Amino acid sequence: MKETILIVEDEKDIVKMLDYNLKKEGYKTLVAHDGEDALDMANTKLLDLILLDLMLPGVDGLEVCKELKSERKTASIPVIMLTAKSQESDKIVGLELGADDYVTKPFSPRELIARIKAVLRRGKEKEKLPEVIKIGGLGLDFSKIEVTVKNKPVELTSKEFELLKTLIKAKGRVLSRDYLLDNIWGFDHAMEIQTRTVDVHIRTLRKKLKSAAKYIVTVKNYGYRFEYED
Ligand code: CA
């Protein structure tokens, strides 16, 4: 699965360079030219990493970082700051605010890609769900692929199980039908598999989950999210 990286930078030449090198490395890219755009995208798109320039018009990079890391919905998205040498103190503030790493301009694409890979790898380790989780009356055992509702076992198909797992993993973020389709049915799904396949599986999943079905929330015209209670 291709990871999606959001590039937050106002300088067009740098955006172009980053976009080219990230795509070459096999990542999907999105671009935000200012801080507000970046926050908007972080809240609506499913991102694996954010490359955040600190010098932005309007809401600056540090403010963006602070907002991202203080919202539960976006706090887990790794952030790599792009800084200038003269911004040494900002770099420290950024790391204190929760940024995962920084790269000082000018940097080589190779150096940046290496940092990205390291941060993504660390993120995956952290994101690993515990083998057994309990959310209200819903219990999941990932090693045994078992689901229970109020301690009674529920028989799910492998796709239904994957769907439930993917939604839980997103920790409250909204997942689009297309995203679910790509991730659960794969890029090579047959032509006849349409996005309504997702709806059909959600419907059967909800039926089986009974009282725990309330955790799966429909986001109209877009997709689904898992109402996650800590
Ligand atoms: Ca800039």
Side-chain angles (χ1 to χ4, degrees):
M1 183 185 79
K2 281 188 188 173
E3 280 130 332
T4 303
I5 299 179
L6 173 66
I7 302 166
V8 187
E9 167 68 279
D10 56 320
E11 284 159 79
K12 293 206 170 68
D13 289 344
I14 299 180
V15 170
K16 231 168 141 180
M17 184 274 272
L18 291 170
D19 190 59
Y20 171 80
N21 283 288
L22 293 177
K23 281 191 177 134
K24 205 172 81 180
E25 203 60 33
Y27 297 113
K28 279 194 216 170
T29 57
L30 289 168
V31 177
H33 295 284
D34 59 51
E36 276 176 30
D37 237 15
L39 289 170
D40 194 46
M41 284 175 134
N43 277 291
T44 53
K45 311 272 182 201
L46 200 80
L47 305 173
D48 295 290
L49 188 136
I50 298 174
L51 279 182
L52 177 64
D53 183 41
L54 292 189
M55 295 276 270
L56 294 169
V59 185
D60 73 22
L62 284 179
E63 192 57 38
V64 172
C65 184
K66 192 172 149 193
E67 293 215 11
L68 288 172
K69 294 296 179 184
S70 62
E71 290 286 326
R72 193 179 61 176
K73 241 177 116 183
T74 54
S76 62
I77 309 171
V79 172
I80 297 181
M81 300 178 285
L82 305 178
T83 67
K85 265 228 160 65
S86 57
Q87 292 171 290
E88 210 64 14
S89 59
D90 286 353
K91 198 166 71 187
I92 294 160
V93 174
L95 290 173
E96 279 171 0
L97 288 174
D100 297 81
D101 204 352
Y102 62 87
V103 178
T104 308
K105 290 179 183 174
F107 50 81
S108 72
R110 261 179 69 184
E111 182 195 354
L112 179 70
I113 297 289
R115 295 292 184 93
I116 288 173
K117 283 187 177 158
V119 168
L120 285 174
R121 199 165 46 232
R122 286 209 306 267
K124 279 204 184 96
E125 294 289 306
K126 261 195 289 182
E127 242 183 42
K128 268 187 197 153
L129 290 171
E131 282 203 346
V132 180
I133 59 171
K134 229 168 162 50
I135 300 157
L138 178 66
L140 280 105
D141 186 325
F142 292 108
S143 62
K144 294 186 194 147
I145 317 185
E146 272 176 9
V147 178
T148 55
V149 175
K150 290 183 177 162
N151 297 318
K152 288 203 183 92
V154 176
E155 288 291 327
L156 297 184
T157 65
S158 65
K159 292 294 184 212
E160 286 162 355
F161 186 81
E162 281 302 310
L163 195 52
L164 182 59
K165 184 173 150 186
T166 307
L167 284 165
I168 290 173
K169 260 184 140 173
K171 295 189 173 160
R173 277 190 280 170
V174 186
L175 304 181
S176 71
R177 288 184 179 81
D178 281 336
Y179 176 87
L180 291 166
L181 200 58
D182 281 349
N183 281 273
I184 294 163
W185 282 266
F187 286 109
D188 302 324
H189 54 72
M191 285 300 283
E192 68 267 24
I193 298 182
Q194 302 294 329
T195 45
R196 69 181 183 84
T197 304
V198 178
D199 299 339
V200 171
H201 280 77
I202 290 276
R203 198 152 61 223
T204 58
L205 180 59
R206 275 179 173 149
K207 214 179 240 173
K208 290 178 182 179
L209 292 181
K210 294 187 180 122
S211 61
K214 64 178 179 201
Y215 294 120
I216 301 171
V217 179
T218 305
V219 178
K220 216 179 156 204
N221 298 327
Y222 189 72
Y224 300 93
R225 70 183 178 84
F226 194 87
E227 184 87 42
Y228 204 93
E229 292 172 358
D230 283 328

